[in-house]
């Protein structure tokens, strides 16, 4: 039905089409027409609606150009193999499958839409079609399992540097890897790994960036705490240059990490953090604890000085800024 509606708009380009016209053409109710229009909006189509006049199709969803992306890369490893899908349950799942099939390090999985995108702590990630960057990067680092949190912070630095180029407001990292702009989340990172005998076999870095979402695109429960580059910049953002910039930044930092270890990455992360030296609430096995985020240690754990009790080292979990 959606395809038939789009075909009708294509036949009446630059015209307003009434709900009654669509209803008669498609032999369905005007309520059904409205529902399909809303579904198309969720897929990235933009309509102008005027009472008693109808709908005009203003904009079709942007489609990622894999050839344009490949041509813009300046990397040796990252993104040299690109896999683009229209719709997947999760790019993480696809990446795991590709590793089992022998995918090389640096393989990047991209999707226009995820139906079951994953975030940290078992949360879902809102991934509407054509509106964001939903991707997973395959790594095969020669490290022990205990050092994998360091790669989370490395990824956050690369992403923060890349996103900052597209917005006038400061982009900050909330430990361990959420990017916030003016207190609202614009991006998140999820690391999943496989290991054997305490050695990492591979790591998949899952990244979601809300690029061209409008306020109306978000579910009501996310509107107060999420933002997008479009909302912060005021203009639509071309996705290919941003993906390319991230891969370039990531490879530079990953090379630095392999050569010099975590120390320089730690310094860069601290410079971009909005969590350190701030009052926070941190979730522990015993419940929420308030204190000051003091530093991150050599493994990437957050060191917290509680208002009461001994110093804590938090390796995973949630924090809330008490500002």
């Amino acid at each position: 039905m959606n395809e038939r509606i789009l075909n009708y708009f294509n036949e009446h380009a630059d015209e307003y089409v009434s709900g009654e016209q669509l209803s008669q053409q498609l032999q369905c109710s005007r309520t059904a027409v409205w529902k399909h229009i809303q579904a198309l909006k969720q897929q990235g189509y933009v309509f102008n609606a005027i009472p008693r006049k109808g709908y005009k199709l203003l904009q079709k969803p942007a489609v990622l150009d894999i050839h344009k992306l490949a041509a813009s890369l300046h990397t040796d490893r990252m993104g040299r193999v690109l896999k683009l899908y229209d719709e997947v349950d999760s790019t993480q799942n696809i990446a795991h499958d590709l590793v089992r099939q022998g995918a090389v390090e640096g393989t990047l999985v991209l999707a226009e839409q995820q139906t079951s995108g994953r975030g940290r702590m078992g949360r879902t990630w809102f991934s509407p079609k054509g509106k964001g960057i939903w991707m997973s990067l395959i790594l095969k680092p020669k490290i022990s399992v205990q050092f994998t949190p360091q790669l989370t912070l490395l990824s956050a630095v690369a992403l923060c540097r890349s996103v900052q180029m597209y917005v006038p407001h400061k982009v900050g990292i909330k430990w361990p890897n959420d990017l916030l702009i003016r207190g609202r989340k614009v991006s998140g990172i999820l690391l999943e790994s496989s290991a054997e005998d305490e050695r990492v076999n591979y790591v998949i870095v899952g990244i979601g960036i809300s690029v061209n979402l409008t306020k109306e695109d978000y579910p009501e429960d996310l509107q107060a705490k999420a933002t997008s580059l479009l909302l912060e910049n005021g203009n639509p953002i071309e996705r290919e240059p941003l993906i390319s910039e991230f891969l370039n930044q990531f490879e530079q930092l990953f090379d630095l990490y392999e050569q010099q270890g975590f120390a320089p990455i730690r310094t860069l992360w601290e410079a971009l953090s909005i969590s350190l030296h701030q009052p926070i609430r941190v979730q522990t096995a015993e419940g929420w604890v308030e204190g000051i985020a003091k530093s991150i240690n050599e493994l990437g754990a957050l060191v917290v000085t509680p208002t009461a009790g001994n110093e804590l080292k938090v390796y995973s979990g949630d924090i809330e800024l008490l500002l």
Side-chain angles (χ1 to χ4, degrees), residues 47-65:
F47 295 88
N48 188 29
I50 297 179
R52 294 186 296 279
K53 195 169 184 181
Y55 305 95
K56 181 195 283 188
L57 179 59
L58 299 181
Q59 183 179 324
K60 298 177 182 179
V63 177
L64 281 168
D65 186 332

Side-chain angles (χ1 to χ4, degrees), residues 289 304-306 308-313:
V289 175
V304 179
T305 304
N310 298 322
E311 189 173 82
L312 299 175
K313 294 180 178 64

Side-chain angles (χ1 to χ4, degrees), residues 167-198:
V167 291
H169 310 292
K170 175 180 170 57
V171 183
I173 305 172
K174 175 189 167 190
W175 185 88
N177 52 24
D178 288 343
L179 296 192
L180 303 187
I181 303 176
R182 297 192 293 176
R184 296 188 177 191
K185 186 171 177 176
V186 72
S187 179
I189 300 169
L190 172 68
L191 258 70
E192 296 177 339
S193 61
S194 171
E196 186 176 349
D197 297 329
E198 296 302 312

